[in-house]
Amino acid sequence: MDDDPKDPDATETTVEEAADKDGEDSGIIRAVLSGEGESGPVEGPLDDLPRGTTIGPYVILSRLAAGSIGTAYAAFDPQRDRKIALKVLEVDDESEAIGEQRREALVAAANTCASVEHPGVVRVHDVGIVGSAVYVAMEFVDGIDLRQWMEARDDPFPWPEVLRVFRDAGQGLAAAHAVGCVHGDFTPSRVLMGKGGRICVFDFGLAMPAPDVSSPHYSVKSLHNELPTPTVAGLQDSLLELPTRDAMVGTPDYMAPELHAGVEPDAKADQFAFCAAMYEALYGEPPFKGGTPQALAVEAMSHAVRPAPKGSDVPQWLRDVLLRGLSPRRKDRYASMEVVLRHLEHDPQARRRRWIAGVTILGVGAGAAGGIAYLVERESNRCDADVELLDGTWDPATRASLEQAFLDSGRPHAVDVWTQVEGTMDEWSTQWLEHRTLACELRHADDDVEMMERRYACLDGVLQPFQAFATRYAEGADGPMVDGAQRVVSGLWRPIDCRKADMLDYAVPADGPAKQAADGAWLHLLGGVYETARAQAQEAAGRLPLEDVPAAHVRASLTASQAAARARAPDARTMLYDTAALAASARLRIPQAEAWLTLARVDTVERREMWLDQAQTLLDSVDLPHLRAELMLARGALAQVRGNDRDALSAYHRALALVKATDSQSQILRTDVLMQLAALATQREEWSTAHRYIDEVVGARETAFGPSHPELIAPLRMLASVQAASGDADAAIRALDRAVAIAGESDARNAVRASLRLALGDIEADRNQPRAAATHYERASSLLDESESLDALADAMLGLGLARLAQGAASRAAPALERAVLLGRRAGWSAVAISTAEEARGRALADEDPEAAREALERALQGADEAAAARLEEALAALPAPAPKPL
C-alpha cells in the first residue's frame, strides 16, 4: 500500500467509500471517519482489547494473534486512511524507572528498524508509548506465517522450495543488518508469507524475555552453575566480551548459545536463529532435541545437532551451510547474513541442472534430446569454475597461514579482525568463481569468444591484488597491518566490476616484479601507509612502460599521486593532474575520474567544484556505484565548507542511496558518509540527530572491524562531544575512556591519543573537576611535539594552566600559561584566544609577581572583547599600585 500522504488536491474519501473498501471492518471505519462510534482509550488487559479501542492515533478492528512478543491487531489509521497491523507490547517492571528504560529501549530499537526499506521486511510506520505499553504500527500483510506453512503438511516441503522461501527471508534479515537493525528473536512465526508469494520478516528489535526462559528457576547465573565446566569455558570463549543483560531474551529452540548466557542479540545470533529455523523446515524437527532451556543451551554449546532423518534428500552442501551457521562460537559462523545467502545460492549442481533441462526441452522438439543433453552437460562442466583456480591464493593452507599471521601480531582485536577479513575473502572468492563461470556461459549464449577472453583477463586482473594481499599477510602481519586489513581487503576491486566495459580496459593482468610492486603499493595505500605506497608506486611506474602496459602504468601513477595527496605532500596536486592527463591519453576513464576526485579533495576551495564536475562527467558513463558515492561525499564536504547545509545534506543522502548494498566495501563507505552527516548535525547543534548517526556508525564499525578496533576511535570521540554537549558528561567520559583504551592497545599516533586526553580534560574542567582535568591535560602535553602539533600542545598547556589555577596552585599554573601564550602566538591564535591566555597568566602571577601580572593583564586588554575588558579593568585595579620609577 502506498505510504505517502494523500494528494491534497485529490477528492476526499467518503465514509461510504471507506466502508466499502474494508468489508467486515466497515462499521468501525465509518464511525471513525464520521467522528462517531464508541472508540475510546485503552482500558483492560492489552492482550484482548475490544473493537474500537484507540492506541495512540490508531483504532483497533480485531485481534490477529497473540504471542511472546505482544498481541497483534488489525487496526485503522485514520490519518492516512489505511488498514495496518498494530503490535501492542506490555512492558512493565516492579521499578517504574526500569520499566520506563525498557520501553524507551524498545522504541529506540524499533525506530532504528523503521528505516529498513526492503520487500523482505514488513515496514514499520510508527512507534510509540501508551501508558505501560509500546505499540508498533506496521504495514498490513495478508497471509500466513511460516510456522503455519510448515505445519500445513505432515512431511517437510521439498528442499528447493524451503531454500527459496528462506533465501527471501534471509534477504530481509541482511537488509536489516545493513542499517544496524538486529531482530533478536527470529523464528518461523515471525516470517509472513503473503498471498502474492511475498516473504517478509517482522518484529525486528522487539525481542522480549520469554516466560519459560526468564523464570526464577532459569537465569544467567543458574545457567553457568548448571552447565558442565568445559561447556561454560567454551561459552565464555564465544562471547568475545559482548554486553550482557540479566534475563535471557528469545525463543529457546532458536537461541544462539551466547543468548542463553544473557548476551545482547546481534547479527551473528540472528544468523544462528535463521539456520535453526531453516533446519526445522528442511527436516521437520529443530536442530537440537533438548526438552528444557538448560538442555538446549548445553546441546547448542556442544554443537550436538541431530543427525539427518533417514530418507532425507536434503543435499550435504546445504546441510554444511546450516551447520556452520549453527556453530557455538560466533567467530566460527559466517561473517554476515549476506555471506550465508551467497553460500545458499551456490548449489554446485544447480547451474548444470538448468542447462541440461533447458536444452533437453529443445532437443525433444528436434528429436535428439539425449545427444544434446550429453553435449550440454559436457559444456556445463567446462563452464563451472573449479575452486582449484584459487589454489595458492585462497585455499585451506593460505587461510590457515593468514589466521596464524593475524594471531601472531599480538593485537588484542586480531581475532575479531581476522573473522571479518576471512568473511570478506570468502565473499570475494565466491563472487570471483561465479563470475568466472558467468563469463563462460555468456560466451555460449552470444558466441563471443573475444569478449569472454576480455572478461577472463579482467577477472585475472582483479585477482592479482587479491593474491598480493594474501601473500603479503601470510608472510607476517604486524600491528598496523592487522589494523588496516579490513579496509585493505574491502577496498580491492570486486569481481562483479568486470561486468563493466571500462573495467575490461583497466583491470588487465600484467606479469613481473614491477606489477607485483604496484599491487603492493596499492595495498599500502588502502592500509594508510602513504609514504611507503608513494615510493613503491613511483618505482613501479618507472618499470612499467606506458606504451607497453598502459593500464598498469596509469594505476601505479594513480596510487603514487593518491598517496601523496593523503600524506598532504606539496606536489600532490601536480601529480594528480599529470595522472589524469596520462589516463586520458590512454583512454582509461576510471583512473581519470579517480584522479579528478582526489584532486577535488586537496585543491583550493575555489577550484574543487571544477574537478568534481570533471569527475562527474566521467562517472555518469561509468557504472561504479562506490565511486559515484565518493563523488557525492566530496560534493557534500564542499557544500559543508561553503556553509550550504541543504546541499551538503542532499549530497550525503544521495551517497547513502548509492551504498545500500551489504558487501563490506559498501558498509565501510556508508560509515564514512554517516560520520560526515554526524559532523554536520553537530555543527548545527542538532544533538539528537548527531547522536543517532554516530550510534549507527559505532554499531556498523563494531560489526565490520570488531569491538576494540582503532576504527572506533574517531566515532567514539565524536560521540563523546555530542554527549557532553547534550549534558551527559558521564556517558561522554565512558566513550572517551573506551577510545583511550583502544588507542593504547593499537599503537595509535600520539596526536590521536593526545586529542582524547584533551577532550577528557575539557569535560572534567566543565564539570568543575580541576584535579582530574589537570591530569588529562598533562598527559596530553607529554604526548605532543612542538614541531608536529603546535596548536594542540598550546591547547594542552592552556588547559593545564587553567586547571591548576582552579585548584589554587597559581605558582604551578603560571609556567604552563606562559608557555601556552608563546605557543599560541606561534600557532596563529586569534587575539581573543591570546587575551584569554594572558588574562589567566596575569591572575596566576598576581600574588607572587604583581608587576608581571600587570603586564600580562594589559596585554590581555589589547585583544579583549567588551565583556572581558570590564573584567580585566577590575583585575588591574585590584593589583597593588606600581612602584614609582626612579628619577
Side-chain angles (χ1 to χ4, degrees), residues 176-189:
H177 293 168
V179 299
C181 171
V182 173
H183 192 289
D185 192 12
F186 180 92
T187 71
S189 299

Side-chain angles (χ1 to χ4, degrees), residues 402-426:
L402 279 169
E403 181 176 15
Q404 192 59 49
F406 275 73
L407 297 180
D408 289 346
S409 71
R411 279 291 197 255
H413 49 270
V415 172
D416 291 330
V417 177
W418 165 245
T419 299
Q420 300 305 323
V421 168
E422 181 186 30
T424 302
M425 295 183 78
D426 276 340

Side-chain angles (χ1 to χ4, degrees), residues 373-620:
Y374 167 76
L375 292 174
V376 170
E377 180 178 0
R378 188 177 68 182
E379 288 300 308
S380 178
N381 287 337
R382 283 176 54 193
C383 276
D384 281 341
D386 194 333
V387 293
E388 291 181 1
L389 290 169
L390 295 175
D391 280 355
T393 298
W394 188 235
D395 55 20
T398 307
R399 188 190 298 263
S401 297
L402 279 169
E403 181 176 15
Q404 192 59 49
F406 275 73
L407 297 180
D408 289 346
S409 71
R411 279 291 197 255
H413 49 270
V415 172
D416 291 330
V417 177
W418 165 245
T419 299
Q420 300 305 323
V421 168
E422 181 186 30
T424 302
M425 295 183 78
D426 276 340
E427 180 183 347
W428 194 100
S429 58
T430 299
Q431 190 184 108
W432 190 87
L433 290 169
E434 289 174 350
H435 283 275
R436 180 90 181 181
T437 300
L438 180 63
C440 178
E441 291 180 347
L442 289 174
R443 174 258 184 273
H444 289 290
D446 57 23
D447 197 28
D448 191 340
V449 177
E450 181 184 354
M451 180 58 72
M452 181 186 73
E453 294 300 331
R454 291 185 68 199
R455 288 178 178 135
Y456 276 174
C458 179
L459 288 167
D460 290 342
V462 302
L463 182 62
Q464 285 185 330
F466 184 84
Q467 289 172 325
F469 174 85
T471 301
R472 177 184 169 203
Y473 275 74
E475 291 173 350
D478 59 20
M481 286 173 66
V482 168
D483 293 344
Q486 178 66 336
R487 273 201 183 263
V488 173
V489 74
S490 298
L492 298 175
W493 285 325
R494 295 175 295 184
I496 194 173
D497 294 337
C498 285
R499 299 176 65 177
K500 315 294 170 46
D502 284 273
M503 281 296 288
L504 299 181
D505 296 323
Y506 186 34
V508 293
D511 296 326
K515 174 61 166 56
Q516 294 173 6
D519 289 336
W522 191 28
L523 299 183
H524 282 301
L525 172 66
L526 294 173
V529 188
Y530 302 132
E531 291 79 6
T532 304
R534 173 177 177 169
Q536 285 190 5
Q538 285 180 317
E539 181 185 357
R543 295 159 56 197
L544 293 166
L546 178 64
E547 59 274 12
D548 296 336
V549 279
H553 178 89
V554 168
R555 189 160 75 83
S557 298
L558 177 64
T559 299
S561 58
Q562 287 182 321
R566 292 175 189 176
R568 302 184 181 278
D571 58 346
R573 285 183 289 180
T574 301
M575 292 176 66
L576 287 163
Y577 191 90
D578 290 345
T579 298
L582 275 176
S585 68
R587 298 185 178 181
L588 297 171
R589 293 189 292 188
I590 293 174
Q592 190 182 353
E594 288 194 73
W596 295 134
L597 194 53
T598 308
L599 186 56
R601 295 192 181 101
V602 298
D603 210 344
T604 61
V605 173
E606 295 76 21
R607 295 167 60 85
R608 289 181 189 177
E609 189 162 7
M610 175 174 63
W611 305 131
L612 289 174
D613 289 343
Q614 294 271 39
Q616 178 90 55
T617 300
L618 292 162
L619 292 177
D620 281 345

